[in-house]
Amino acid sequence: MSTKEVIDLRSDTVTLPTEEMLEAIRHAELGDDVFGEDPTVNRLEEMAAAKMGKEAALLVTSGTQANLVSLMSNTRRGELVILEAEAHMYWYEVGGISAIAGLLPWPLKSPLGALDPRDVEAAIRPRNIHFPEPALICVENTHNRHGGTVITPNQIKAISDVAKAHGLKLYMDGARVFNAAVALKVDVKELTKHVDNLMFCLSKGLSCPVGSVVVGTREFIDKARKTRKVLGGGMRQAGIIAAPGIIALEKMIDRLEEDHRNARRLAVGIAKIEGISVNLDVVQTNMVLFDVSGLGVADELFLSELKENGVLALMNAKNKVRMVTHRGIEEEHVEKAITAIENVANELSPSLA
Ligand code: TLP
């Protein structure tokens, strides 16, 4: 790394494709995927379904499209969807859940992202002329806004039991489900077996340039394929997106462990800085959330000073900074980032140094 290189910790979405991925794109066998004739897409979809222990899969353009397609394919307009109050679908998807899917989100608070089954049970009201019909429960794994926290197979099963008892479907926003599986050291199927359907992203820690995959029963995926079409997501020679996805599934999952190690290293380093606090219990995968309220400076100033020192980050909430580790961030970058944060803290709040 040159001394001028920027350490970009804004998100794992900033990862660039590997050389092997670029080669695979160049040589991908292509066809028209709207006719189901792109062999590379078909291969990726089959691999994804097998990996998740489900019948079928569908390549889509983004995590947001995956969630929207899944919401619409699991429900009818006017129905109620129970989700966690900090869920990505609720916070960051431009309100598509209501504006496009026509659903009523019913957010439930939780300390670390895992819904309490008793809260879910209580939220499912009896069928009544006044109430919207409840249709779907959503979990997010790992949980982004809670700091990349992991939801365990037992926690998912407990929600699934409630869903089944009330005839509701269970969906998982598994944008980073492989991070959860790697952190728990379990096969990803342990995390998917209790949900009816899910999505995962290729373009985050797995390093692909584009794409997410929706996975579920054959019937659900047939419906999702049509929903994707109405949303303008029918792609033609989409094998150029699927080709790196195949490499991601074959080769990029196990290395997520490195990202987790680096996140922990980063968090432990940041925790020692005066004026900054980190809850280390929440650092379970590749994200670090830390509180800079002790520095007494505006968030914009903190981020811009950090940028001056060669490190990029995002705010997760007021005074709460988010950093995400990913391929391309090595131990030396973590050390440099810690030093940069320390320098900024000292510059902005010299009295604390
Ligand atoms: N999350 C992005 C931003 O939108 C915040 C990030 O940098 O973390 N579900 C979850 C849990 C996500 O974290 C994201 C992306 C999505 C869905 C949406 O994926 P994209 O960005 O591909 O639409």
Side-chain angles (χ1 to χ4, degrees):
M1 182 185 103
S2 80
T3 45
K4 289 264 155 49
E5 194 182 348
V6 170
I7 301 171
D8 192 344
L9 298 170
R10 287 174 300 170
S11 182
D12 46 9
T13 59
V14 304
T15 43
L16 298 175
T18 62
E19 279 306 314
E20 191 182 359
M21 286 177 175
L22 294 171
E23 271 303 295
I25 292 170
R26 177 74 189 83
H27 298 290
E29 209 185 324
L30 302 174
D32 190 327
D33 180 51
V34 172
F35 296 128
E37 290 172 5
D38 188 302
T40 311
V41 172
N42 292 343
R43 186 160 161 238
L44 171 70
E45 291 178 347
E46 278 161 28
M47 277 176 76
K51 196 144 203 112
M52 296 297 181
K54 301 287 181 200
E55 287 171 14
L58 178 74
L59 174 66
V60 298
T61 58
S62 67
T64 301
Q65 189 179 60
N67 281 337
L68 188 56
V69 161
S70 302
L71 284 168
M72 292 172 74
S73 307
N74 273 315
T75 62
R76 287 175 303 185
R77 293 181 72 77
E79 288 183 330
L80 183 142
V81 177
I82 295 170
L83 38 63
E84 206 277 336
E86 302 287 321
H88 195 278
M89 271 185 273
Y90 190 56
W91 272 77
Y92 293 130
E93 299 186 8
V94 207
I97 188 169
S98 300
I100 302 175
L103 298 165
L104 178 69
W106 198 263
L108 300 177
K109 288 199 169 143
S110 76
L112 287 181
L115 291 169
D116 184 325
R118 288 164 302 186
D119 293 344
V120 176
E121 181 88 52
I124 306 170
R125 290 169 294 171
R127 299 309 207 256
N128 178 295
I129 183 91
H130 300 90
F131 301 151
E133 291 295 319
L136 183 69
I137 304 171
C138 300
V139 292
E140 185 175 310
N141 204 8
T142 62
H143 199 296
N144 183 340
R145 283 190 53 78
H146 279 282
T149 47
V150 168
I151 318 297
T152 65
N154 281 344
Q155 287 171 320
I156 301 171
K157 170 152 193 324
I159 302 298
S160 158
D161 289 345
V162 178
K164 283 198 185 117
H166 293 273
L168 309 191
K169 292 259 194 69
L170 181 59
Y171 169 72
M172 179 161 68
D173 173 346
R176 297 184 180 84
V177 72
F178 287 113
N179 292 84
V182 166
L184 290 167
K185 297 191 181 4
V186 297
D187 188 290
V188 73
K189 289 189 196 73
E190 292 301 311
L191 297 167
T192 61
K193 68 182 182 190
H194 299 299
V195 302
D196 292 287
N197 38 68
L198 71 137
M199 74 86 160
F200 69 92
C201 291
L202 296 167
S203 64
K204 300 201 163 59
L206 300 186
S207 299
C208 289
V210 189
S212 292
V213 184
V214 177
V215 196
T217 62
R218 168 69 54 200
E219 193 189 352
F220 172 76
I221 292 299
D222 286 348
K223 201 166 171 196
R225 194 173 292 279
K226 195 133 187 192
T227 311
R228 181 188 68 173
K229 190 78 179 81
V230 77
L231 294 173
M235 297 176 281
R236 301 298 179 173
Q237 285 72 40
I240 61 163
I241 297 174
I246 290 170
I247 294 171
L249 288 184
E250 284 172 343
K251 300 193 175 168
M252 304 303 283
I253 295 170
D254 292 344
R255 64 149 307 286
L256 294 173
E257 177 132 35
E258 277 173 49
D259 301 344
H260 299 178
R261 263 201 306 277
N262 281 328
R264 171 127 307 254
R265 213 172 258 139
L266 179 65
V268 169
I270 296 171
K272 294 183 185 139
I273 302 172
E274 203 63 46
I276 297 185
S277 63
V278 188
N279 180 356
L280 291 174
D281 292 343
V282 179
V283 185
Q284 299 173 4
T285 56
N286 67 335
M287 292 189 187
V288 181
L289 295 183
F290 57 95
D291 193 310
V292 293
S293 49
L295 300 177
V297 294
D299 293 340
E300 297 69 32
L301 182 62
F302 182 82
L303 287 188
S304 64
E305 284 302 306
L306 203 55
K307 190 174 175 186
E308 283 293 302
N309 281 264
V311 177
L312 301 182
L314 291 179
M315 297 312 294
N316 164 280
K318 189 168 161 52
N319 294 150
K320 216 171 192 188
V321 181
R322 183 187 86 158
M323 290 186 166
V324 187
T325 54
H326 50 79
R327 192 177 62 79
I329 298 296
E330 310 288 341
E331 200 177 330
E332 56 170 315
H333 305 116
V334 170
E335 297 309 327
K336 286 192 174 158
I338 295 167
T339 307
I341 299 164
E342 198 166 10
N343 289 343
V344 171
N346 292 343
E347 260 165 53
L348 296 177
S349 283
S351 60
L352 293 175

